[in-house]
Coordinates of all heavy atoms in Angstrom, one line a residue:
M1419 N 83.1 110.3 130.8 CA 81.7 110.0 131.0 C 81.4 109.4 132.3 O 80.3 109.7 132.8 CB 81.2 109.1 129.9 CG 81.1 109.6 128.5 SD 79.8 110.9 128.3 CE 78.3 109.9 128.1
E1420 N 82.3 108.6 132.8 CA 82.0 108.0 134.1 C 82.4 108.9 135.3 O 82.2 108.5 136.4 CB 82.8 106.6 134.3 CG 82.4 105.5 133.2 CD 80.9 105.2 133.4 OE1 80.4 104.9 134.5 OE2 80.2 105.1 132.4
N1421 N 83.0 110.0 135.0 CA 83.3 110.9 136.0 C 82.1 111.7 136.4 O 81.1 111.7 135.8 CB 84.4 112.0 135.6 CG 85.7 111.3 135.3 OD1 86.0 110.2 135.9 ND2 86.5 111.7 134.3
N1422 N 82.3 112.4 137.5 CA 81.2 113.3 138.0 C 79.9 112.7 138.3 O 78.8 113.2 137.9 CB 81.0 114.5 137.0 CG 82.2 115.3 136.8 OD1 83.0 115.5 137.8 ND2 82.5 115.6 135.6
I1423 N 79.9 111.5 138.9 CA 78.7 110.9 139.2 C 78.1 111.6 140.4 O 78.7 111.7 141.5 CB 78.9 109.4 139.6 CG1 79.3 108.6 138.3 CG2 77.7 108.7 140.3 CD1 79.7 107.2 138.5
N1424 N 76.8 112.1 140.2 CA 76.2 112.9 141.2 C 74.7 112.4 141.5 O 74.0 113.1 142.1 CB 76.2 114.4 140.9 CG 75.6 114.7 139.6 OD1 75.1 113.8 138.9 ND2 75.6 115.9 139.2
A1425 N 74.4 111.3 140.9 CA 73.1 110.7 141.1 C 73.2 109.2 141.0 O 74.1 108.6 140.3 CB 72.1 111.3 140.0
H1426 N 72.2 108.6 141.7 CA 72.2 107.1 141.6 C 70.7 106.7 141.2 O 69.8 107.3 141.7 CB 72.6 106.5 142.9 CG 74.1 106.6 143.2 ND1 74.6 107.7 143.7 CD2 75.1 105.7 142.8 CE1 75.9 107.5 143.8 NE2 76.2 106.4 143.2
C1427 N 70.7 105.8 140.4 CA 69.3 105.3 139.8 C 68.5 104.7 141.0 O 69.1 104.0 141.8 CB 69.6 104.2 138.8 SG 68.1 103.6 138.2
K1428 N 67.3 105.2 141.0 CA 66.4 104.7 142.2 C 66.0 103.3 141.9 O 65.4 102.6 142.9 CB 65.1 105.6 142.2 CG 65.4 107.0 142.5 CD 65.1 107.3 144.0 CE 65.1 108.7 144.4 NZ 66.4 109.3 144.2
I1429 N 66.3 102.7 140.8 CA 65.9 101.4 140.5 C 67.0 100.4 140.7 O 67.0 99.4 141.4 CB 65.3 101.3 139.1 CG1 63.9 102.0 139.0 CG2 65.0 99.8 138.7 CD1 62.8 101.6 139.8
C1430 N 68.1 100.6 139.9 CA 69.2 99.7 140.0 C 70.4 100.2 140.8 O 71.3 99.5 141.1 CB 69.7 99.4 138.5 SG 70.4 100.8 137.7
G1431 N 70.4 101.4 141.3 CA 71.4 102.0 142.1 C 72.7 102.4 141.4 O 73.6 102.8 142.1
K1432 N 72.7 102.3 140.1 CA 73.8 102.6 139.3 C 74.0 104.1 139.3 O 73.1 104.9 139.2 CB 73.6 102.2 137.9 CG 74.9 101.6 137.2 CD 74.4 100.6 136.1 CE 74.5 101.3 134.8 NZ 74.1 100.3 133.7
G1433 N 75.4 104.5 139.5 CA 75.6 106.0 139.5 C 75.7 106.5 138.1 O 76.1 105.9 137.1
Y1434 N 75.3 107.7 137.9 CA 75.4 108.4 136.7 C 75.5 109.9 136.9 O 75.3 110.4 138.0 CB 74.1 108.1 135.8 CG 72.8 108.6 136.4 CD1 72.2 109.7 135.9 CD2 72.2 107.7 137.3 CE1 71.0 110.1 136.4 CE2 71.0 108.1 137.9 CZ 70.3 109.3 137.4 OH 69.1 109.7 137.9
H1435 N 75.7 110.6 135.9 CA 75.9 112.1 135.9 C 74.7 112.8 135.5 O 74.1 112.7 134.5 CB 77.1 112.6 135.1 CG 77.3 114.0 135.1 ND1 77.7 114.6 136.2 CD2 77.1 114.9 134.2 CE1 77.8 116.0 135.9 NE2 77.4 116.1 134.7
V1436 N 74.2 113.8 136.3 CA 73.2 114.7 135.9 C 73.7 116.1 136.0 O 74.4 116.5 137.0 CB 71.9 114.6 136.9 CG1 70.8 115.6 136.5 CG2 71.4 113.2 136.9
C1437 N 73.6 116.8 134.9 CA 74.1 118.2 134.9 C 73.1 119.1 135.5 O 71.9 119.2 135.1 CB 74.3 118.6 133.4 SG 74.6 120.3 133.2
A1438 N 73.5 119.9 136.6 CA 72.6 120.7 137.3 C 71.9 121.7 136.5 O 70.7 122.1 136.6 CB 73.3 121.4 138.5
S1439 N 72.7 122.3 135.5 CA 72.1 123.4 134.7 C 71.2 122.7 133.7 O 70.1 123.4 133.3 CB 73.2 124.1 134.0 OG 73.9 123.3 133.1
C1440 N 71.4 121.5 133.3 CA 70.4 120.8 132.5 C 69.1 120.6 133.2 O 68.0 120.8 132.7 CB 70.9 119.4 132.0 SG 72.3 119.5 130.9
L1441 N 69.2 120.2 134.4 CA 68.0 120.0 135.3 C 67.2 121.2 135.4 O 65.9 121.1 135.5 CB 68.5 119.4 136.7 CG 68.8 118.0 136.9 CD1 69.2 117.8 138.3 CD2 67.6 117.2 136.5
A1442 N 67.9 122.3 135.5 CA 67.1 123.5 135.6 C 66.4 124.1 134.3 O 65.6 124.9 134.3 CB 68.0 124.7 136.2
Q1443 N 66.8 123.4 133.2 CA 66.3 123.8 131.9 C 64.9 123.3 131.8 O 64.6 122.2 132.1 CB 67.2 123.3 130.9 CG 68.1 124.4 130.2 CD 69.1 123.7 129.2 OE1 68.7 122.9 128.4 NE2 70.3 124.1 129.4
K1444 N 64.1 124.1 131.1 CA 62.8 123.6 130.7 C 62.9 122.7 129.6 O 63.7 122.9 128.7 CB 61.9 124.8 130.3 CG 61.2 125.3 131.5 CD 60.0 126.2 131.1 CE 59.1 126.5 132.3 NZ 58.2 127.6 132.1
G1445 N 62.1 121.6 129.5 CA 62.1 120.7 128.4 C 63.1 119.7 128.7 O 63.3 118.7 127.9
F1446 N 63.9 119.7 129.8 CA 64.8 118.6 130.2 C 64.0 117.4 130.6 O 63.0 117.5 131.3 CB 65.7 119.1 131.4 CG 66.7 118.1 131.8 CD1 67.8 117.8 131.1 CD2 66.4 117.3 133.0 CE1 68.7 116.8 131.6 CE2 67.3 116.4 133.4 CZ 68.4 116.1 132.6
Q1447 N 64.4 116.3 130.1 CA 63.6 115.1 130.4 C 63.7 114.7 131.9 O 64.8 114.5 132.5 CB 64.2 113.9 129.6 CG 64.0 114.0 128.1 CD 65.0 113.1 127.4 OE1 66.1 113.2 127.6 NE2 64.4 112.3 126.5
P1448 N 62.6 114.8 132.6 CA 62.6 114.7 134.0 C 63.1 113.3 134.6 O 63.6 113.2 135.7 CB 61.2 114.9 134.4 CG 60.4 114.7 133.2 CD 61.3 115.0 132.1
W1449 N 63.0 112.3 133.7 CA 63.5 111.0 134.3 C 64.9 110.9 134.6 O 65.3 110.1 135.3 CB 63.1 109.8 133.3 CG 63.6 110.0 131.9 CD1 63.0 110.5 130.8 CD2 64.9 109.5 131.5 NE1 63.9 110.4 129.8 CE2 65.0 109.8 130.1 CE3 65.9 108.8 132.1 CZ2 66.1 109.4 129.3 CZ3 67.0 108.5 131.4 CH2 67.1 108.8 129.9
R1450 N 65.7 111.9 134.0 CA 67.1 111.9 134.2 C 67.5 112.2 135.7 O 68.6 111.9 136.1 CB 67.9 112.9 133.3 CG 67.9 112.4 131.9 CD 68.8 111.3 131.6 NE 70.2 111.6 131.7 CZ 71.2 110.7 132.1 NH1 70.8 109.5 132.5 NH2 72.4 111.0 132.2
A1451 N 66.6 112.8 136.4 CA 66.8 113.2 137.8 C 66.6 112.0 138.7 O 67.0 112.0 139.9 CB 65.9 114.3 138.1
V1452 N 65.9 111.0 138.2 CA 65.5 109.9 139.1 C 66.2 108.5 138.7 O 66.7 107.8 139.6 CB 64.0 109.6 139.0 CG1 63.5 108.6 140.0 CG2 63.2 110.9 139.1
T1453 N 66.3 108.2 137.4 CA 66.9 107.0 137.1 C 67.9 107.2 135.9 O 68.0 108.3 135.3 CB 65.8 106.0 136.5 OG1 65.1 106.6 135.4 CG2 64.8 105.7 137.6
D1454 N 68.7 106.1 135.6 CA 69.7 106.2 134.6 C 69.1 106.0 133.2 O 69.8 106.4 132.2 CB 70.9 105.4 134.9 CG 70.5 103.8 135.1 OD1 69.3 103.6 135.2 OD2 71.4 103.0 135.2
T1455 N 68.0 105.3 133.2 CA 67.5 105.0 131.8 C 66.0 105.2 131.8 O 65.3 105.2 132.9 CB 67.7 103.5 131.4 OG1 67.0 102.6 132.3 CG2 69.1 103.1 131.3
M1456 N 65.4 105.5 130.6 CA 64.0 105.6 130.5 C 63.2 104.5 130.9 O 62.1 104.6 131.6 CB 63.8 105.8 129.0 CG 62.4 106.2 128.6 SD 61.9 107.9 129.3 CE 60.3 108.0 128.8
N1457 N 63.7 103.3 130.6 CA 63.1 102.1 131.1 C 63.0 102.0 132.6 O 62.0 101.7 133.2 CB 63.7 100.9 130.5 CG 63.0 99.6 130.9 OD1 61.8 99.4 130.6 ND2 63.7 98.7 131.6
H1458 N 64.0 102.3 133.3 CA 64.1 102.2 134.8 C 63.1 103.3 135.3 O 62.5 103.1 136.4 CB 65.5 102.4 135.3 CG 66.2 101.2 135.2 ND1 67.6 101.0 135.5 CD2 65.9 99.9 134.8 CE1 68.0 99.8 135.2 NE2 67.0 99.1 134.8
Y1459 N 62.9 104.4 134.6 CA 61.9 105.4 135.0 C 60.5 104.9 134.9 O 59.7 105.1 135.8 CB 62.1 106.7 134.2 CG 61.2 107.8 134.6 CD1 61.4 108.4 135.9 CD2 60.2 108.2 133.9 CE1 60.6 109.4 136.3 CE2 59.3 109.3 134.3 CZ 59.6 109.9 135.6 OH 58.8 110.9 136.0
K1460 N 60.3 104.1 133.9 CA 59.0 103.5 133.7 C 58.6 102.5 134.9 O 57.5 102.5 135.4 CB 58.9 102.7 132.4 CG 58.5 103.6 131.3 CD 58.6 102.9 129.9 CE 57.7 101.8 129.6 NZ 58.0 101.1 128.3
I1461 N 59.7 101.8 135.3 CA 59.5 100.9 136.4 C 59.3 101.6 137.6 O 58.4 101.4 138.5 CB 60.8 100.0 136.5 CG1 60.9 99.1 135.3 CG2 60.7 99.1 137.8 CD1 62.2 98.3 135.2
Y1462 N 60.1 102.7 137.8 CA 59.9 103.6 139.0 C 58.4 104.2 139.1 O 57.9 104.1 140.2 CB 60.9 104.8 138.9 CG 60.8 105.8 140.0 CD1 61.3 105.5 141.3 CD2 60.2 107.0 139.6 CE1 61.2 106.5 142.2 CE2 60.0 107.9 140.7 CZ 60.5 107.7 141.9 OH 60.4 108.7 142.9
M1463 N 58.0 104.6 138.0 CA 56.6 105.2 138.0 C 55.5 104.1 138.3 O 54.6 104.5 139.0 CB 56.3 105.9 136.6 CG 57.0 107.2 136.4 SD 57.1 108.3 137.8 CE 55.3 108.9 137.6
S1464 N 55.7 102.9 137.8 CA 54.8 101.9 138.1 C 54.8 101.6 139.7 O 53.7 101.4 140.1 CB 55.2 100.6 137.4 OG 55.5 100.8 136.0
I1465 N 55.9 101.5 140.2 CA 56.1 101.2 141.6 C 55.5 102.4 142.5 O 54.8 102.2 143.5 CB 57.4 100.8 142.0 CG1 57.9 99.5 141.4 CG2 57.6 100.7 143.5 CD1 59.4 99.2 141.5
H1466 N 55.8 103.6 142.0 CA 55.4 104.8 142.7 C 53.8 104.9 142.6 O 53.2 105.1 143.7 CB 55.9 106.0 142.0 CG 55.7 107.3 142.7 ND1 56.2 107.6 143.9 CD2 55.0 108.4 142.3 CE1 55.8 108.7 144.3 NE2 55.0 109.3 143.3
G1467 N 53.3 104.5 141.5 CA 51.8 104.5 141.4 C 51.2 103.5 142.3 O 50.1 103.8 143.0
Y1468 N 51.9 102.4 142.5 CA 51.4 101.4 143.5 C 51.4 101.8 144.9 O 50.5 101.6 145.6 CB 52.2 100.1 143.2 CG 51.8 99.1 144.2 CD1 50.5 98.4 144.2 CD2 52.7 98.7 145.2 CE1 50.2 97.5 145.1 CE2 52.4 97.7 146.1 CZ 51.2 97.1 146.1 OH 50.8 96.1 147.0
T1469 N 52.5 102.6 145.2 CA 52.6 103.0 146.6 C 51.5 104.0 147.0 O 51.0 104.1 148.1 CB 54.0 103.7 146.9 OG1 54.7 103.9 145.7 CG2 54.8 102.7 147.8
L1470 N 51.1 104.8 145.9 CA 50.0 105.8 146.1 C 48.7 105.1 146.1 O 47.8 105.5 146.9 CB 50.1 106.9 145.0 CG 51.4 107.7 145.1 CD1 51.3 108.7 143.9 CD2 51.5 108.5 146.4
S1471 N 48.4 104.3 145.1 CA 47.0 103.8 145.0 C 46.8 102.4 145.5 O 45.6 102.0 145.7 CB 46.7 103.7 143.4 OG 47.5 102.8 142.8
H1472 N 47.9 101.7 145.8 CA 47.8 100.2 146.2 C 47.0 99.4 145.2 O 46.4 98.4 145.6 CB 47.2 100.1 147.6 CG 48.1 100.7 148.6 ND1 49.3 100.1 149.0 CD2 48.1 101.9 149.2 CE1 49.8 100.9 149.9 NE2 49.2 102.0 150.0
D1473 N 46.9 99.9 143.9 CA 46.3 99.2 142.9 C 47.2 98.3 142.2 O 47.9 98.6 141.2 CB 45.7 100.2 141.9 CG 44.8 99.6 140.9 OD1 45.0 98.3 140.7 OD2 44.0 100.3 140.2
S1474 N 47.4 97.0 142.8 CA 48.4 96.1 142.2 C 48.1 95.7 140.8 O 49.0 95.3 140.1 CB 48.6 95.0 143.2 OG 47.5 94.3 143.3
K1475 N 46.8 95.6 140.5 CA 46.4 95.2 139.2 C 46.9 96.1 138.1 O 47.5 95.7 137.1 CB 44.9 95.0 139.1 CG 44.4 93.9 138.3 CD 42.9 93.7 138.4 CE 42.3 93.0 137.3 NZ 40.9 93.0 137.4
K1476 N 46.8 97.4 138.4 CA 47.2 98.5 137.4 C 48.7 98.5 137.5 O 49.3 98.6 136.3 CB 46.7 99.8 138.0 CG 46.5 100.8 136.9 CD 45.9 102.1 137.4 CE 46.6 103.3 137.1 NZ 46.3 104.5 137.8
A1477 N 49.4 98.3 138.5 CA 50.8 98.3 138.6 C 51.4 97.2 137.9 O 52.4 97.2 137.2 CB 51.3 98.4 140.1
K1478 N 50.8 96.0 138.0 CA 51.2 94.8 137.4 C 51.1 95.0 135.8 O 52.2 94.7 135.1 CB 50.4 93.6 137.7 CG 51.0 92.3 137.3 CD 50.1 91.1 137.8 CE 50.7 89.9 137.2 NZ 49.9 88.7 137.5
T1479 N 50.0 95.6 135.3 CA 49.9 95.9 133.9 C 51.1 96.8 133.5 O 51.7 96.6 132.4 CB 48.6 96.5 133.6 OG1 47.6 95.7 134.2 CG2 48.3 96.6 132.1
A1480 N 51.3 97.9 134.3 CA 52.4 98.8 134.0 C 53.7 98.1 133.9 O 54.5 98.3 133.0 CB 52.4 100.0 134.9
L1481 N 54.0 97.3 134.9 CA 55.2 96.6 135.0 C 55.5 95.6 133.8 O 56.6 95.4 133.4 CB 55.4 95.8 136.3 CG 55.8 96.6 137.5 CD1 55.8 95.8 138.8 CD2 57.2 97.3 137.3
E1482 N 54.4 95.0 133.4 CA 54.4 94.1 132.3 C 54.8 94.7 131.0 O 55.3 94.1 130.1 CB 53.1 93.3 132.1 CG 53.0 92.1 133.1 CD 51.6 91.5 133.2 OE1 50.7 92.1 132.7 OE2 51.5 90.5 133.9
N1483 N 54.6 96.1 131.0 CA 55.0 96.8 129.8 C 56.5 97.3 129.9 O 57.0 98.1 129.0 CB 54.1 98.0 129.6 CG 52.7 97.5 129.0 OD1 52.7 96.7 128.1 ND2 51.7 97.9 129.6
C1484 N 57.1 97.0 131.0 CA 58.5 97.5 131.2 C 59.5 96.3 131.0 O 59.1 95.1 131.1 CB 58.7 97.9 132.6 SG 57.7 99.3 133.1
D1485 N 60.7 96.6 130.6 CA 61.7 95.6 130.5 C 62.3 95.4 131.9 O 63.0 96.2 132.5 CB 62.8 96.1 129.5 CG 63.9 95.2 129.4 OD1 63.8 94.0 130.0 OD2 64.9 95.5 128.7
L1486 N 62.0 94.2 132.4 CA 62.4 93.9 133.8 C 63.9 93.2 133.8 O 64.2 92.6 134.9 CB 61.4 93.1 134.6 CG 60.1 93.9 134.9 CD1 59.1 92.9 135.5 CD2 60.4 95.1 135.8
S1487 N 64.6 93.2 132.7 CA 65.8 92.5 132.7 C 66.7 93.1 133.7 O 66.7 94.5 133.8 CB 66.4 92.5 131.3 OG 66.5 93.7 130.8
G1488 N 67.6 92.4 134.4 CA 68.5 92.9 135.4 C 67.9 93.1 136.7 O 68.5 93.6 137.7
L1489 N 66.7 92.5 136.8 CA 65.9 92.6 138.0 C 66.8 92.1 139.3 O 66.6 92.7 140.4 CB 64.7 91.6 138.0 CG 63.7 91.6 139.2 CD1 63.0 92.9 139.4 CD2 62.7 90.4 139.0
E1490 N 67.6 91.2 139.1 CA 68.5 90.6 140.2 C 69.4 91.7 140.8 O 69.8 91.7 141.9 CB 69.4 89.5 139.8 CG 68.7 88.4 139.0 CD 68.5 88.8 137.5 OE1 69.6 89.1 136.9 OE2 67.4 88.9 137.0
N1491 N 69.7 92.7 140.0 CA 70.6 93.8 140.4 C 69.9 95.0 140.8 O 70.5 96.0 141.2 CB 71.5 94.1 139.2 CG 72.3 92.9 138.8 OD1 72.9 92.2 139.6 ND2 72.5 92.7 137.5
F1492 N 68.5 95.0 140.9 CA 67.8 96.2 141.4 C 68.1 96.3 142.8 O 68.4 95.4 143.5 CB 66.3 96.0 141.0 CG 66.0 96.1 139.6 CD1 64.7 96.0 139.1 CD2 67.0 96.4 138.6 CE1 64.3 96.1 137.8 CE2 66.7 96.5 137.2 CZ 65.3 96.4 136.9
R1493 N 67.7 97.5 143.4 CA 67.8 97.8 144.8 C 66.8 96.8 145.5 O 65.7 96.5 144.9 CB 67.4 99.1 145.0 CG 68.4 100.2 144.7 CD 67.8 101.6 144.9 NE 68.9 102.5 144.7 CZ 69.1 103.5 145.5 NH1 68.3 103.7 146.4 NH2 70.2 104.4 145.4
P1494 N 67.2 96.3 146.6 CA 66.4 95.3 147.3 C 64.9 95.7 147.6 O 64.1 94.9 147.4 CB 67.0 95.1 148.7 CG 68.4 95.8 148.6 CD 68.4 96.6 147.4
E1495 N 64.7 97.0 147.9 CA 63.4 97.4 148.2 C 62.5 97.5 146.9 O 61.3 97.3 146.8 CB 63.3 98.8 148.9 CG 63.8 100.0 148.1 CD 65.3 100.2 148.2 OE1 66.0 99.3 148.5 OE2 65.7 101.4 148.1
I1496 N 63.2 97.7 145.7 CA 62.5 97.7 144.4 C 62.2 96.3 144.0 O 61.1 96.0 143.6 CB 63.5 98.4 143.3 CG1 63.8 99.8 143.7 CG2 62.8 98.3 141.9 CD1 62.6 100.8 143.7
K1497 N 63.2 95.5 144.2 CA 63.0 94.0 143.9 C 61.8 93.4 144.7 O 60.9 92.8 144.1 CB 64.2 93.2 144.3 CG 64.7 92.4 143.1 CD 66.1 91.8 143.3 CE 66.7 91.3 144.5 NZ 68.0 90.8 144.4
S1498 N 61.6 93.7 146.0 CA 60.6 93.2 146.8 C 59.3 93.8 146.4 O 58.2 93.2 146.4 CB 60.9 93.3 148.3 OG 60.9 94.6 148.7
A1499 N 59.3 95.1 146.0 CA 58.0 95.8 145.5 C 57.5 95.1 144.3 O 56.3 94.8 144.2 CB 58.3 97.3 145.3
I1500 N 58.4 94.8 143.4 CA 58.0 94.2 142.1 C 57.5 92.8 142.4 O 56.4 92.4 141.9 CB 59.3 94.1 141.1 CG1 59.7 95.5 140.6 CG2 59.0 93.2 139.9 CD1 60.9 95.5 139.8
Q1501 N 58.2 92.1 143.3 CA 57.7 90.7 143.6 C 56.3 90.8 144.2 O 55.5 90.0 143.9 CB 58.7 90.0 144.6 CG 59.7 89.3 143.8 CD 61.0 89.1 144.6 OE1 61.1 89.5 145.7 NE2 62.1 88.7 143.9
T1502 N 56.0 91.8 145.1 CA 54.7 91.9 145.7 C 53.7 92.2 144.7 O 52.7 91.5 144.6 CB 54.8 93.1 146.8 OG1 55.8 92.9 147.6 CG2 53.4 93.3 147.6
I1503 N 53.9 93.2 143.8 CA 53.1 93.5 142.7 C 52.8 92.2 141.8 O 51.6 92.0 141.5 CB 53.5 94.7 141.9 CG1 53.6 95.9 142.8 CG2 52.7 94.9 140.7 CD1 54.4 97.1 142.2
M1504 N 53.8 91.6 141.5 CA 53.6 90.4 140.5 C 52.9 89.2 141.1 O 52.3 88.5 140.4 CB 55.0 90.1 140.0 CG 55.6 91.1 139.1 SD 54.5 91.8 137.8 CE 55.4 91.5 136.3
T1505 N 53.0 89.1 142.4 CA 52.4 87.9 143.0 C 51.0 88.1 143.4 O 50.2 87.2 143.7 CB 53.3 87.3 144.2 OG1 53.7 88.4 145.1 CG2 54.6 86.7 143.6
E1506 N 50.6 89.4 143.7 CA 49.2 89.7 144.0 C 48.3 89.5 142.8 O 48.8 89.7 141.7 CB 49.0 91.1 144.6 CG 49.4 91.2 146.1 CD 49.2 92.6 146.6 OE1 48.2 93.3 146.3 OE2 50.1 93.1 147.4
H1507 N 47.1 89.1 143.1 CA 46.2 88.8 142.0 C 46.5 87.5 141.1 O 47.6 87.3 140.8 CB 45.9 89.9 141.0 CG 45.3 91.1 141.8 ND1 44.0 91.2 141.9 CD2 45.9 92.1 142.4 CE1 43.7 92.3 142.6 NE2 44.8 92.9 143.0
Ligands
ZN939 ZN1 68.9 102.1 136.6

């Protein structure tokens, strides 16, 4: 299971395996291409939304619905983005 790591989570940087043929399949859960867990994908989308809209209020609400446990181990740029969102307003 730990072999064939070919992707790293955009949130926590953890390596995981994504099967290329799975990725090509329709109905494949798209979050697997970006993060290792569904929850990290939710965090990713919240931050992504913020980079596009700069709507920190909306991003904060979205982040509050995510499990932010393990925040200390997130990638530095993700950590600072979350801190920015959480401290604005
Ligand atoms: Zn992750």
Side-chain angles (χ1 to χ4, degrees):
M1419 286 295 277
E1420 294 302 312
N1421 294 330
N1422 302 320
I1423 287 174
N1424 57 1
H1426 288 89
C1427 178
K1428 293 263 189 295
I1429 296 297
C1430 65
K1432 219 154 98 181
Y1434 61 100
H1435 175 71
V1436 179
C1437 168
S1439 60
C1440 293
L1441 275 178
Q1443 252 172 50
K1444 268 197 172 166
F1446 179 77
Q1447 292 162 307
W1449 60 266
R1450 288 293 286 150
V1452 188
T1453 60
D1454 55 349
T1455 63
M1456 185 65 181
N1457 182 58
H1458 282 174
Y1459 185 65
K1460 272 168 72 184
I1461 297 171
Y1462 173 78
M1463 287 313 282
S1464 310
I1465 294 169
H1466 187 63
Y1468 174 68
T1469 13
L1470 294 178
S1471 67
H1472 294 282
D1473 187 342
S1474 60
K1475 215 170 159 187
K1476 207 175 132 193
K1478 194 179 172 185
T1479 312
L1481 278 177
E1482 278 166 354
N1483 288 311
C1484 299
D1485 178 7
L1486 293 176
S1487 56
L1489 181 69
E1490 316 78 57
N1491 301 317
F1492 289 179
R1493 287 172 169 228
E1495 68 269 28
I1496 299 296
K1497 229 165 40 178
S1498 66
I1500 291 175
Q1501 272 153 8
T1502 306
I1503 293 166
M1504 293 314 234
T1505 50
E1506 272 182 45
H1507 294 273

